[in-house]
PDB file of all heavy atoms in Angstrom:
ATOM      1  N   ASN X 154     -27.522  43.088 -44.154  1.00 94.00           N
ATOM      2  CA  ASN X 154     -28.685  43.011 -43.251  1.00 94.00           C
ATOM      3  C   ASN X 154     -28.223  42.685 -41.837  1.00 94.00           C
ATOM      4  O   ASN X 154     -28.815  43.161 -40.869  1.00 94.00           O
ATOM      5  CB  ASN X 154     -29.597  41.888 -43.751  1.00 94.00           C
ATOM      6  CG  ASN X 154     -30.458  42.331 -44.937  1.00 94.00           C
ATOM      7  OD1 ASN X 154     -30.490  43.469 -45.257  1.00 94.00           O
ATOM      8  ND2 ASN X 154     -31.174  41.412 -45.565  1.00 94.00           N
ATOM      9  N   ALA X 155     -27.220  41.866 -41.695  1.00 95.00           N
ATOM     10  CA  ALA X 155     -26.705  41.533 -40.337  1.00 95.00           C
ATOM     11  C   ALA X 155     -26.197  42.845 -39.652  1.00 95.00           C
ATOM     12  O   ALA X 155     -26.464  43.057 -38.463  1.00 95.00           O
ATOM     13  CB  ALA X 155     -25.589  40.498 -40.373  1.00 95.00           C
ATOM     14  N   VAL X 156     -25.503  43.677 -40.420  1.00 95.00           N
ATOM     15  CA  VAL X 156     -24.975  44.914 -39.804  1.00 95.00           C
ATOM     16  C   VAL X 156     -26.171  45.889 -39.575  1.00 95.00           C
ATOM     17  O   VAL X 156     -26.149  46.564 -38.516  1.00 95.00           O
ATOM     18  CB  VAL X 156     -23.912  45.541 -40.766  1.00 95.00           C
ATOM     19  CG1 VAL X 156     -23.577  46.957 -40.354  1.00 95.00           C
ATOM     20  CG2 VAL X 156     -22.693  44.656 -40.761  1.00 95.00           C
ATOM     21  N   ARG X 157     -27.061  46.003 -40.484  1.00 92.00           N
ATOM     22  CA  ARG X 157     -28.133  46.988 -40.367  1.00 92.00           C
ATOM     23  C   ARG X 157     -29.201  46.576 -39.415  1.00 92.00           C
ATOM     24  O   ARG X 157     -29.705  47.377 -38.595  1.00 92.00           O
ATOM     25  CB  ARG X 157     -28.785  47.266 -41.739  1.00 92.00           C
ATOM     26  CG  ARG X 157     -29.984  48.211 -41.627  1.00 92.00           C
ATOM     27  CD  ARG X 157     -30.538  48.586 -42.974  1.00 92.00           C
ATOM     28  NE  ARG X 157     -29.696  49.635 -43.484  1.00 92.00           N
ATOM     29  CZ  ARG X 157     -29.687  50.037 -44.747  1.00 92.00           C
ATOM     30  NH1 ARG X 157     -30.486  49.415 -45.572  1.00 92.00           N
ATOM     31  NH2 ARG X 157     -28.895  51.020 -45.133  1.00 92.00           N
ATOM     32  N   HIS X 158     -29.637  45.322 -39.428  1.00 89.00           N
ATOM     33  CA  HIS X 158     -30.829  44.877 -38.687  1.00 89.00           C
ATOM     34  C   HIS X 158     -30.488  43.904 -37.589  1.00 89.00           C
ATOM     35  O   HIS X 158     -31.330  43.697 -36.686  1.00 89.00           O
ATOM     36  CB  HIS X 158     -31.851  44.215 -39.588  1.00 89.00           C
ATOM     37  CG  HIS X 158     -32.239  45.053 -40.795  1.00 89.00           C
ATOM     38  ND1 HIS X 158     -33.003  46.214 -40.571  1.00 89.00           N
ATOM     39  CD2 HIS X 158     -32.079  44.922 -42.080  1.00 89.00           C
ATOM     40  CE1 HIS X 158     -33.202  46.753 -41.803  1.00 89.00           C
ATOM     41  NE2 HIS X 158     -32.651  45.938 -42.699  1.00 89.00           N
ATOM     42  N   GLY X 159     -29.344  43.297 -37.598  1.00 88.00           N
ATOM     43  CA  GLY X 159     -29.015  42.293 -36.587  1.00 88.00           C
ATOM     44  C   GLY X 159     -27.927  42.680 -35.609  1.00 88.00           C
ATOM     45  O   GLY X 159     -27.498  41.896 -34.762  1.00 88.00           O
ATOM     46  N   CYS X 160     -27.554  43.957 -35.619  1.00 86.00           N
ATOM     47  CA  CYS X 160     -26.467  44.409 -34.817  1.00 86.00           C
ATOM     48  C   CYS X 160     -26.924  44.631 -33.330  1.00 86.00           C
ATOM     49  O   CYS X 160     -27.931  45.207 -33.061  1.00 86.00           O
ATOM     50  CB  CYS X 160     -25.903  45.753 -35.358  1.00 86.00           C
ATOM     51  SG  CYS X 160     -24.515  46.401 -34.374  1.00 86.00           S
ATOM     52  N   VAL X 161     -26.125  44.035 -32.461  1.00 87.00           N
ATOM     53  CA  VAL X 161     -26.288  44.288 -30.987  1.00 87.00           C
ATOM     54  C   VAL X 161     -24.922  44.859 -30.611  1.00 87.00           C
ATOM     55  O   VAL X 161     -23.913  44.272 -30.918  1.00 87.00           O
ATOM     56  CB  VAL X 161     -26.558  42.922 -30.250  1.00 87.00           C
ATOM     57  CG1 VAL X 161     -26.473  43.199 -28.736  1.00 87.00           C
ATOM     58  CG2 VAL X 161     -27.912  42.368 -30.655  1.00 87.00           C
ATOM     59  N   PRO X 162     -24.905  46.033 -29.942  1.00 88.00           N
ATOM     60  CA  PRO X 162     -23.677  46.635 -29.576  1.00 88.00           C
ATOM     61  C   PRO X 162     -22.718  45.680 -28.890  1.00 88.00           C
ATOM     62  O   PRO X 162     -23.125  44.991 -27.942  1.00 88.00           O
ATOM     63  CB  PRO X 162     -24.089  47.825 -28.673  1.00 88.00           C
ATOM     64  CG  PRO X 162     -25.459  48.137 -29.117  1.00 88.00           C
ATOM     65  CD  PRO X 162     -26.098  46.826 -29.513  1.00 88.00           C
ATOM     66  N   GLY X 163     -21.503  45.643 -29.338  1.00 88.00           N
ATOM     67  CA  GLY X 163     -20.480  44.783 -28.724  1.00 88.00           C
ATOM     68  C   GLY X 163     -20.507  43.316 -29.255  1.00 88.00           C
ATOM     69  O   GLY X 163     -19.646  42.512 -28.835  1.00 88.00           O
ATOM     70  N   ARG X 164     -21.432  42.969 -30.178  1.00 91.00           N
ATOM     71  CA  ARG X 164     -21.500  41.633 -30.711  1.00 91.00           C
ATOM     72  C   ARG X 164     -21.134  41.639 -32.198  1.00 91.00           C
ATOM     73  O   ARG X 164     -21.528  42.510 -32.918  1.00 91.00           O
ATOM     74  CB  ARG X 164     -22.903  41.093 -30.549  1.00 91.00           C
ATOM     75  CG  ARG X 164     -23.440  40.986 -29.132  1.00 91.00           C
ATOM     76  CD  ARG X 164     -22.946  39.623 -28.561  1.00 91.00           C
ATOM     77  NE  ARG X 164     -23.398  39.509 -27.186  1.00 91.00           N
ATOM     78  CZ  ARG X 164     -24.408  38.765 -26.814  1.00 91.00           C
ATOM     79  NH1 ARG X 164     -25.164  38.216 -27.667  1.00 91.00           N
ATOM     80  NH2 ARG X 164     -24.695  38.734 -25.513  1.00 91.00           N
ATOM     81  N   ASP X 165     -20.359  40.625 -32.547  1.00 95.00           N
ATOM     82  CA  ASP X 165     -19.944  40.487 -33.946  1.00 95.00           C
ATOM     83  C   ASP X 165     -21.028  39.717 -34.725  1.00 95.00           C
ATOM     84  O   ASP X 165     -21.962  39.120 -34.140  1.00 95.00           O
ATOM     85  CB  ASP X 165     -18.636  39.703 -34.069  1.00 95.00           C
ATOM     86  CG  ASP X 165     -17.473  40.435 -33.412  1.00 95.00           C
ATOM     87  OD1 ASP X 165     -17.574  41.659 -33.271  1.00 95.00           O
ATOM     88  OD2 ASP X 165     -16.534  39.760 -33.083  1.00 95.00           O
ATOM     89  N   PHE X 166     -20.854  39.618 -36.056  1.00 96.00           N
ATOM     90  CA  PHE X 166     -21.630  38.625 -36.876  1.00 96.00           C
ATOM     91  C   PHE X 166     -20.602  37.643 -37.400  1.00 96.00           C
ATOM     92  O   PHE X 166     -19.446  37.846 -37.456  1.00 96.00           O
ATOM     93  CB  PHE X 166     -22.452  39.340 -37.956  1.00 96.00           C
ATOM     94  CG  PHE X 166     -21.621  39.881 -39.121  1.00 96.00           C
ATOM     95  CD1 PHE X 166     -21.289  39.118 -40.243  1.00 96.00           C
ATOM     96  CD2 PHE X 166     -21.163  41.226 -39.063  1.00 96.00           C
ATOM     97  CE1 PHE X 166     -20.550  39.632 -41.270  1.00 96.00           C
ATOM     98  CE2 PHE X 166     -20.486  41.773 -40.145  1.00 96.00           C
ATOM     99  CZ  PHE X 166     -20.108  40.967 -41.195  1.00 96.00           C
ATOM    100  N   ALA X 167     -21.142  36.474 -37.773  1.00 97.00           N
ATOM    101  CA  ALA X 167     -20.254  35.384 -38.250  1.00 97.00           C
ATOM    102  C   ALA X 167     -20.765  34.951 -39.684  1.00 97.00           C
ATOM    103  O   ALA X 167     -21.906  35.009 -39.992  1.00 97.00           O
ATOM    104  CB  ALA X 167     -20.361  34.214 -37.282  1.00 97.00           C
ATOM    105  N   VAL X 168     -19.774  34.635 -40.413  1.00 98.00           N
ATOM    106  CA  VAL X 168     -19.987  34.088 -41.819  1.00 98.00           C
ATOM    107  C   VAL X 168     -19.422  32.709 -41.865  1.00 98.00           C
ATOM    108  O   VAL X 168     -18.288  32.513 -41.431  1.00 98.00           O
ATOM    109  CB  VAL X 168     -19.358  35.004 -42.908  1.00 98.00           C
ATOM    110  CG1 VAL X 168     -19.465  34.341 -44.271  1.00 98.00           C
ATOM    111  CG2 VAL X 168     -20.021  36.359 -42.876  1.00 98.00           C
ATOM    112  N   ARG X 169     -20.161  31.804 -42.447  1.00 98.00           N
ATOM    113  CA  ARG X 169     -19.690  30.415 -42.729  1.00 98.00           C
ATOM    114  C   ARG X 169     -19.984  30.100 -44.143  1.00 98.00           C
ATOM    115  O   ARG X 169     -21.166  30.338 -44.578  1.00 98.00           O
ATOM    116  CB  ARG X 169     -20.479  29.466 -41.771  1.00 98.00           C
ATOM    117  CG  ARG X 169     -19.970  28.063 -41.917  1.00 98.00           C
ATOM    118  CD  ARG X 169     -20.621  27.191 -40.820  1.00 98.00           C
ATOM    119  NE  ARG X 169     -20.399  25.833 -41.014  1.00 98.00           N
ATOM    120  CZ  ARG X 169     -21.333  24.955 -41.402  1.00 98.00           C
ATOM    121  NH1 ARG X 169     -22.574  25.327 -41.563  1.00 98.00           N
ATOM    122  NH2 ARG X 169     -20.976  23.682 -41.573  1.00 98.00           N
ATOM    123  N   LEU X 170     -18.997  29.707 -44.839  1.00 98.00           N
ATOM    124  CA  LEU X 170     -19.080  29.340 -46.258  1.00 98.00           C
ATOM    125  C   LEU X 170     -18.720  27.835 -46.388  1.00 98.00           C
ATOM    126  O   LEU X 170     -17.653  27.467 -45.871  1.00 98.00           O
ATOM    127  CB  LEU X 170     -18.163  30.192 -47.087  1.00 98.00           C
ATOM    128  CG  LEU X 170     -18.114  29.967 -48.609  1.00 98.00           C
ATOM    129  CD1 LEU X 170     -19.465  30.369 -49.248  1.00 98.00           C
ATOM    130  CD2 LEU X 170     -16.938  30.740 -49.244  1.00 98.00           C
ATOM    131  N   VAL X 171     -19.631  27.068 -47.016  1.00 98.00           N
ATOM    132  CA  VAL X 171     -19.352  25.618 -47.107  1.00 98.00           C
ATOM    133  C   VAL X 171     -19.552  25.214 -48.617  1.00 98.00           C
ATOM    134  O   VAL X 171     -20.507  25.633 -49.276  1.00 98.00           O
ATOM    135  CB  VAL X 171     -20.325  24.823 -46.279  1.00 98.00           C
ATOM    136  CG1 VAL X 171     -20.145  23.306 -46.454  1.00 98.00           C
ATOM    137  CG2 VAL X 171     -20.204  25.215 -44.832  1.00 98.00           C
ATOM    138  N   MET X 172     -18.573  24.450 -49.113  1.00 97.00           N
ATOM    139  CA  MET X 172     -18.777  23.847 -50.466  1.00 97.00           C
ATOM    140  C   MET X 172     -18.736  22.338 -50.163  1.00 97.00           C
ATOM    141  O   MET X 172     -17.816  21.800 -49.594  1.00 97.00           O
ATOM    142  CB  MET X 172     -17.648  24.178 -51.405  1.00 97.00           C
ATOM    143  CG  MET X 172     -17.848  23.650 -52.767  1.00 97.00           C
ATOM    144  SD  MET X 172     -16.592  24.096 -54.002  1.00 97.00           S
ATOM    145  CE  MET X 172     -15.293  23.036 -53.574  1.00 97.00           C
ATOM    146  N   ASP X 173     -19.821  21.707 -50.613  1.00 97.00           N
ATOM    147  CA  ASP X 173     -19.981  20.283 -50.459  1.00 97.00           C
ATOM    148  C   ASP X 173     -20.379  19.737 -51.842  1.00 97.00           C
ATOM    149  O   ASP X 173     -21.525  19.811 -52.240  1.00 97.00           O
ATOM    150  CB  ASP X 173     -21.078  19.992 -49.422  1.00 97.00           C
ATOM    151  CG  ASP X 173     -21.065  18.529 -48.941  1.00 97.00           C
ATOM    152  OD1 ASP X 173     -20.271  17.771 -49.498  1.00 97.00           O
ATOM    153  OD2 ASP X 173     -21.827  18.201 -48.054  1.00 97.00           O
ATOM    154  N   GLY X 174     -19.450  19.146 -52.535  1.00 94.00           N
ATOM    155  CA  GLY X 174     -19.644  18.799 -53.920  1.00 94.00           C
ATOM    156  C   GLY X 174     -19.803  20.062 -54.728  1.00 94.00           C
ATOM    157  O   GLY X 174     -18.922  20.978 -54.725  1.00 94.00           O
ATOM    158  N   ARG X 175     -20.949  20.222 -55.391  1.00 92.00           N
ATOM    159  CA  ARG X 175     -21.211  21.427 -56.247  1.00 92.00           C
ATOM    160  C   ARG X 175     -22.199  22.320 -55.509  1.00 92.00           C
ATOM    161  O   ARG X 175     -22.604  23.331 -56.086  1.00 92.00           O
ATOM    162  CB  ARG X 175     -21.800  20.980 -57.588  1.00 92.00           C
ATOM    163  CG  ARG X 175     -20.861  20.195 -58.417  1.00 92.00           C
ATOM    164  CD  ARG X 175     -19.546  20.822 -58.804  1.00 92.00           C
ATOM    165  NE  ARG X 175     -19.810  22.000 -59.680  1.00 92.00           N
ATOM    166  CZ  ARG X 175     -18.889  22.787 -60.115  1.00 92.00           C
ATOM    167  NH1 ARG X 175     -17.632  22.652 -59.746  1.00 92.00           N
ATOM    168  NH2 ARG X 175     -19.170  23.741 -60.957  1.00 92.00           N
ATOM    169  N   LEU X 176     -22.518  22.044 -54.265  1.00 97.00           N
ATOM    170  CA  LEU X 176     -23.366  22.937 -53.464  1.00 97.00           C
ATOM    171  C   LEU X 176     -22.519  23.905 -52.716  1.00 97.00           C
ATOM    172  O   LEU X 176     -21.615  23.570 -51.977  1.00 97.00           O
ATOM    173  CB  LEU X 176     -24.191  22.099 -52.511  1.00 97.00           C
ATOM    174  CG  LEU X 176     -25.102  22.961 -51.574  1.00 97.00           C
ATOM    175  CD1 LEU X 176     -26.281  23.533 -52.322  1.00 97.00           C
ATOM    176  CD2 LEU X 176     -25.592  22.070 -50.406  1.00 97.00           C
ATOM    177  N   VAL X 177     -22.850  25.177 -52.844  1.00 98.00           N
ATOM    178  CA  VAL X 177     -22.210  26.242 -52.086  1.00 98.00           C
ATOM    179  C   VAL X 177     -23.242  26.865 -51.157  1.00 98.00           C
ATOM    180  O   VAL X 177     -24.330  27.267 -51.603  1.00 98.00           O
ATOM    181  CB  VAL X 177     -21.586  27.310 -52.991  1.00 98.00           C
ATOM    182  CG1 VAL X 177     -20.921  28.408 -52.174  1.00 98.00           C
ATOM    183  CG2 VAL X 177     -20.620  26.719 -53.960  1.00 98.00           C
ATOM    184  N   ARG X 178     -22.936  26.910 -49.880  1.00 98.00           N
ATOM    185  CA  ARG X 178     -23.868  27.469 -48.875  1.00 98.00           C
ATOM    186  C   ARG X 178     -23.156  28.557 -48.101  1.00 98.00           C
ATOM    187  O   ARG X 178     -22.044  28.383 -47.667  1.00 98.00           O
ATOM    188  CB  ARG X 178     -24.345  26.354 -47.903  1.00 98.00           C
ATOM    189  CG  ARG X 178     -25.258  26.842 -46.816  1.00 98.00           C
ATOM    190  CD  ARG X 178     -25.666  25.683 -45.925  1.00 98.00           C
ATOM    191  NE  ARG X 178     -26.402  26.062 -44.773  1.00 98.00           N
ATOM    192  CZ  ARG X 178     -27.700  25.874 -44.546  1.00 98.00           C
ATOM    193  NH1 ARG X 178     -28.442  25.195 -45.431  1.00 98.00           N
ATOM    194  NH2 ARG X 178     -28.294  26.235 -43.453  1.00 98.00           N
ATOM    195  N   VAL X 179     -23.853  29.657 -47.921  1.00 98.00           N
ATOM    196  CA  VAL X 179     -23.361  30.762 -47.136  1.00 98.00           C
ATOM    197  C   VAL X 179     -24.304  30.975 -46.027  1.00 98.00           C
ATOM    198  O   VAL X 179     -25.528  30.965 -46.230  1.00 98.00           O
ATOM    199  CB  VAL X 179     -23.078  32.009 -47.958  1.00 98.00           C
ATOM    200  CG1 VAL X 179     -24.359  32.642 -48.593  1.00 98.00           C
ATOM    201  CG2 VAL X 179     -22.386  33.096 -47.154  1.00 98.00           C
ATOM    202  N   GLU X 180     -23.776  31.145 -44.830  1.00 98.00           N
ATOM    203  CA  GLU X 180     -24.623  31.375 -43.638  1.00 98.00           C
ATOM    204  C   GLU X 180     -24.055  32.660 -42.928  1.00 98.00           C
ATOM    205  O   GLU X 180     -22.884  32.812 -42.786  1.00 98.00           O
ATOM    206  CB  GLU X 180     -24.487  30.209 -42.634  1.00 98.00           C
ATOM    207  CG  GLU X 180     -24.958  28.910 -43.148  1.00 98.00           C
ATOM    208  CD  GLU X 180     -24.676  27.760 -42.167  1.00 98.00           C
ATOM    209  OE1 GLU X 180     -24.029  28.000 -41.121  1.00 98.00           O
ATOM    210  OE2 GLU X 180     -25.094  26.602 -42.471  1.00 98.00           O
ATOM    211  N   VAL X 181     -24.969  33.510 -42.556  1.00 97.00           N
ATOM    212  CA  VAL X 181     -24.597  34.682 -41.824  1.00 97.00           C
ATOM    213  C   VAL X 181     -25.386  34.701 -40.522  1.00 97.00           C
ATOM    214  O   VAL X 181     -26.604  34.701 -40.529  1.00 97.00           O
ATOM    215  CB  VAL X 181     -24.905  35.983 -42.628  1.00 97.00           C
ATOM    216  CG1 VAL X 181     -24.555  37.252 -41.801  1.00 97.00           C
ATOM    217  CG2 VAL X 181     -24.101  35.963 -43.913  1.00 97.00           C
ATOM    218  N   SER X 182     -24.716  34.698 -39.390  1.00 96.00           N
ATOM    219  CA  SER X 182     -25.282  34.671 -38.071  1.00 96.00           C
ATOM    220  C   SER X 182     -25.130  35.979 -37.354  1.00 96.00           C
ATOM    221  O   SER X 182     -24.044  36.547 -37.372  1.00 96.00           O
ATOM    222  CB  SER X 182     -24.708  33.569 -37.239  1.00 96.00           C
ATOM    223  OG  SER X 182     -24.897  32.317 -37.866  1.00 96.00           O
ATOM    224  N   ASP X 183     -26.245  36.484 -36.784  1.00 94.00           N
ATOM    225  CA  ASP X 183     -26.090  37.724 -35.928  1.00 94.00           C
ATOM    226  C   ASP X 183     -26.773  37.467 -34.572  1.00 94.00           C
ATOM    227  O   ASP X 183     -27.372  36.415 -34.330  1.00 94.00           O
ATOM    228  CB  ASP X 183     -26.637  38.921 -36.674  1.00 94.00           C
ATOM    229  CG  ASP X 183     -28.142  38.835 -36.952  1.00 94.00           C
ATOM    230  OD1 ASP X 183     -28.912  38.501 -36.005  1.00 94.00           O
ATOM    231  OD2 ASP X 183     -28.547  38.997 -38.107  1.00 94.00           O
ATOM    232  N   ALA X 184     -26.703  38.432 -33.696  1.00 91.00           N
ATOM    233  CA  ALA X 184     -27.197  38.304 -32.335  1.00 91.00           C
ATOM    234  C   ALA X 184     -28.661  38.659 -32.154  1.00 91.00           C
ATOM    235  O   ALA X 184     -29.139  38.561 -31.025  1.00 91.00           O
ATOM    236  CB  ALA X 184     -26.309  39.088 -31.382  1.00 91.00           C
ATOM    237  N   ARG X 185     -29.331  39.104 -33.154  1.00 88.00           N
ATOM    238  CA  ARG X 185     -30.773  39.541 -33.016  1.00 88.00           C
ATOM    239  C   ARG X 185     -31.748  38.476 -33.415  1.00 88.00           C
ATOM    240  O   ARG X 185     -32.117  38.440 -34.604  1.00 88.00           O
ATOM    241  CB  ARG X 185     -30.987  40.855 -33.837  1.00 88.00           C
ATOM    242  CG  ARG X 185     -30.233  42.016 -33.429  1.00 88.00           C
ATOM    243  CD  ARG X 185     -30.727  42.773 -32.188  1.00 88.00           C
ATOM    244  NE  ARG X 185     -32.066  43.241 -32.231  1.00 88.00           N
ATOM    245  CZ  ARG X 185     -32.414  44.446 -32.598  1.00 88.00           C
ATOM    246  NH1 ARG X 185     -31.530  45.358 -32.996  1.00 88.00           N
ATOM    247  NH2 ARG X 185     -33.690  44.813 -32.553  1.00 88.00           N
ATOM    248  N   GLY X 186     -32.091  37.616 -32.577  1.00 81.00           N
ATOM    249  CA  GLY X 186     -33.025  36.518 -32.898  1.00 81.00           C
ATOM    250  C   GLY X 186     -34.485  36.975 -33.071  1.00 81.00           C
ATOM    251  O   GLY X 186     -35.221  36.310 -33.740  1.00 81.00           O
ATOM    252  N   GLU X 187     -34.805  38.103 -32.477  1.00 79.00           N
ATOM    253  CA  GLU X 187     -36.185  38.600 -32.603  1.00 79.00           C
ATOM    254  C   GLU X 187     -36.497  39.239 -33.917  1.00 79.00           C
ATOM    255  O   GLU X 187     -37.643  39.536 -34.257  1.00 79.00           O
ATOM    256  CB  GLU X 187     -36.559  39.502 -31.429  1.00 79.00           C
ATOM    257  CG  GLU X 187     -35.945  40.901 -31.504  1.00 79.00           C
ATOM    258  CD  GLU X 187     -34.489  41.029 -31.021  1.00 79.00           C
ATOM    259  OE1 GLU X 187     -33.852  39.980 -30.791  1.00 79.00           O
ATOM    260  OE2 GLU X 187     -33.998  42.137 -30.895  1.00 79.00           O
ATOM    261  N   ARG X 188     -35.472  39.527 -34.742  1.00 72.00           N
ATOM    262  CA  ARG X 188     -35.673  40.211 -35.995  1.00 72.00           C
ATOM    263  C   ARG X 188     -35.375  39.236 -37.116  1.00 72.00           C
ATOM    264  O   ARG X 188     -34.259  39.207 -37.666  1.00 72.00           O
ATOM    265  CB  ARG X 188     -34.780  41.461 -36.100  1.00 72.00           C
ATOM    266  CG  ARG X 188     -35.171  42.455 -35.110  1.00 72.00           C
ATOM    267  CD  ARG X 188     -34.579  43.814 -35.366  1.00 72.00           C
ATOM    268  NE  ARG X 188     -35.232  44.392 -36.486  1.00 72.00           N
ATOM    269  CZ  ARG X 188     -34.850  45.630 -36.934  1.00 72.00           C
ATOM    270  NH1 ARG X 188     -33.895  46.321 -36.416  1.00 72.00           N
ATOM    271  NH2 ARG X 188     -35.521  46.157 -37.919  1.00 72.00           N
TER     272      ARG X 188
END
């Protein structure tokens, strides 16, 4: 979705993976805040 809908030419997307105890959280950030 970040590549298809959140892409702004020249801007990357970021992935952050966190494990805190038994909780696993994945975050994907892109440059398109309006979508």
